[in-house]
Amino acid sequence: MRPNVPSDADSGHDPVTRDGVGPTPPEAVAPLMRGISVLRRLTEADGVLSLSALEKATGLARSTVDRITATLARMGYVRLDGRDAVLAPRLMELGNAYLASIRLPRLLDAHADALADELDESVSLAVADRDGVRFIHQATRRRAMSLSFRIGDLLPAERTAPGPLFATEWGPADWARWRARREADPEGRGFPAVPPREGAYDDFEARTASAAAQGWALDDQLIEPGLVAVSVPVRDPRTGRVACVASVVSHTSRHTTDSLRSTLLPRLRVTVARMEEELAGAPREPAAPDAGSPPSFPSSPTPTSSGLGLAAWTGASKQELGREFIESLARGLTVVTSFGENRADLTLTDVARATGLARATARRALITLEHLGYVESSDRVFRLTPRVLGLGFPPLSMLPLPRIAAPHLAELSARVHESASLAILTAGGEEVQYTARVATSRIMSVNITLGTRFPAYATSLGRVMLAGLLPEVSLPERLIPLTPRSVTDPRELLTVLERVRTDGYALVDGELEEGLRSIAVPVHDRDGRVTAAVNVAMHSSRRSVEQCVEEVLPELRATVHRIESELRVAGMFRRVAGV
């Protein structure tokens, strides 16, 4: 278990509980608090914990842990893999709700990415989370020695370049909270994203005063030896307050603090000025939305914008799972997703309307979330805080497409009793490359390893991707016959691809290898672009062509729908690797 020190959800002056600040309000929803505790422990464990380890980490009874994980699995937020609970990409919709509500990544990430390309250095955007700093965007460089910070990671303010800039706006209570946290946790062990270090940050108040005077700040190896950064605040033109902080991060082998100031700082300031122009030109959001859009949970009726779907879904889930499904937990987490773009500031009435919950139910959920620090309120208006990113976002933000697809391929293979694979099209479109695969245990099986490449024109995987990407990619000038069945006439192949585009799937029978039959469906990213494909492959003796279409294709399409659903959530505010 982690040391009993304040962490991202339990720092403050008042007596604290493990997951909140001060005494628990009588209206708080206990199951929601316990469910969030489980999500936090899973996040701290990088997304995977056994159920027995969760029991120890949370202090909850095993039966309670089982009910919570069953509910989270029903929501698609957690996957139960044997004795382990594993965070699932759909959980990122909670963090997406926060990122969409503040609008900063959507407005500013292109500027950060352009600066990273210009400087060939990593560029980040960060927001303040009480006396910590959370990243909301990362544009990293691919190098042997690269940065490993993730969107949502929490760092102590005193060990970062953005920290002093945020601290220039602290009041006496903020400084008192920071001092209390430093005294209780001098090594910073409550911030698992950085290695613990003691005694190197006693000049934080002086650095804050310097940042206030000069308008920028440096990190000279505060996080770890060799890492340096320069930061400039991005101010909201309407209020003059710091909206976020932009940083350029490098290594001492590339830049000294002097060269950061002389070379990178002027260019960073130019980009920040453009960011502030972007914020100034962004339209104000409506005072209140007409309705929100609750999430569409798996294995359920799709909730409607009126919120009635949520009631139907929770009712159906309760009927199916019985006491293993905790309705108050599901409803409480859904309150988070009622926020979003143009829905940053919501009244209780707005939240109740968006979710379809009774006002009393929505109110108790908001009280609980505010107690835990995930929601803040003023003048009867609620908004999400950056702490929401601490619910699974850091480990999930690093998942590449093959890892998103892997559990779905395993389920598909188990259902159809055949091998299932994910592949991408290589540059130029000449070959497919296998990036994920689940094989069946048979004496005679399709033996393909990860990284294997085959000619795209002769495979079902290649054909569904070529059909979706032509004429952006071109066919090989020479089509080599791999078997007597191979299509080698370019005009005939184009006709085949047109049919694949119309049908939405490709079936290849013995064209890559005699006796090998496969059927594939394309995978689309959130913009609708074909980015990969999934297939089921088998020996031709096991299923006829008609059986492949009648029995395998529906299962294949359902699997791809689930992969695409998670890919849309995972790719809302970051680029998914392998896409």
Side-chain angles (χ1 to χ4, degrees), residues 20-352:
V21 178
T24 302
E27 303 96 329
V29 183
L32 177 57
M33 294 178 65
R34 297 181 189 122
I36 286 176
S37 177
V38 166
L39 290 175
R40 287 187 54 228
R41 303 301 165 249
L42 281 168
T43 302
E44 292 165 359
D46 216 27
V48 183
L49 268 182
S50 68
L51 296 177
S52 58
L54 264 178
E55 178 185 358
K56 295 177 182 177
T58 59
L60 299 172
R62 176 56 184 268
S63 59
T64 302
V65 170
D66 289 344
R67 293 181 65 209
I68 289 171
T69 53
T71 302
L72 295 172
R74 178 72 170 181
M75 298 176 75
Y77 289 173
V78 162
R79 179 169 50 85
L80 298 176
D81 185 6
R83 298 181 179 180
D84 291 338
V86 183
L87 294 181
R90 189 177 293 271
L91 177 63
M92 293 177 71
E93 69 186 9
L94 301 182
N96 286 344
Y98 166 73
L99 293 174
S101 71
I102 62 172
R103 300 190 302 165
L104 294 175
R106 192 79 77 198
L107 293 172
L108 306 183
D109 60 3
H111 297 285
D113 295 347
L115 181 63
D117 291 338
E118 176 191 343
L119 301 179
D120 194 27
E121 299 288 355
S122 296
V123 175
S124 66
L125 298 175
V127 294
D129 186 354
R130 300 186 75 171
D131 58 353
V133 170
R134 284 195 195 269
F135 294 105
I136 59 171
H137 181 71
Q138 290 278 13
T140 56
R141 303 290 89 187
R142 276 194 162 187
R143 295 197 179 101
M145 189 160 29
S146 60
L147 302 177
S148 60
F149 293 130
R150 307 164 298 186
I151 297 176
D153 268 336
L154 179 72
L155 278 64
E158 66 271 16
R159 290 184 62 178
T160 68
L165 296 166
F166 288 122
T168 61
E169 298 183 340
W170 285 3
D174 301 303
W175 281 107
R177 179 169 55 243
W178 175 76
R179 294 186 187 100
R181 190 260 294 164
R182 284 298 313 278
E183 182 178 352
D185 181 21
E187 295 183 346
R189 294 184 180 274
F191 298 85
V194 293
R197 291 178 68 187
E198 184 174 8
Y201 325 106
D202 296 331
D203 63 343
F204 180 57
E205 293 174 70
R207 287 193 289 119
T208 299
S210 176
Q214 61 195 12
W216 54 272
L218 284 177
D219 168 4
D220 186 3
Q221 307 182 72
L222 293 171
I223 292 177
E224 65 180 27
L227 189 67
V228 291
V230 60
S231 296
V232 173
V234 181
R235 297 188 179 276
D236 186 333
R238 300 183 179 102
T239 65
R241 295 182 61 82
V242 178
C244 66
V245 170
S247 305
V248 179
V249 187
S250 188
H251 195 271
T252 51
S253 60
R254 295 175 58 82
H255 281 282
T256 64
T257 53
D258 287 339
S259 66
L260 285 179
R261 281 191 294 262
S262 61
T263 305
L264 301 187
L265 178 58
R267 293 149 92 177
L268 176 58
R269 279 176 157 161
V270 170
T271 295
V272 166
R274 291 173 182 155
M275 290 179 175
E276 290 177 343
E277 290 174 2
E278 192 81 54
L279 294 181
R284 291 178 181 269
E285 66 175 72
D290 292 330
S293 299
S296 175
F297 293 120
S299 306
S300 69
T302 302
T304 65
S305 59
S306 67
L308 296 178
L310 173 63
W313 180 82
T314 54
S317 298
K318 187 68 175 177
Q319 185 173 5
E320 180 178 336
L321 298 181
R323 69 180 305 274
E324 294 303 304
F325 181 76
I326 307 173
E327 289 182 271
S328 56
L329 170 57
R331 289 171 174 167
L333 291 176
T334 300
V335 165
V336 175
T337 64
S338 65
F339 295 83
E341 192 163 359
N342 297 326
R343 304 198 308 273
D345 300 312
L346 300 181
T347 65
L348 171 59
T349 300
D350 296 330
V351 172

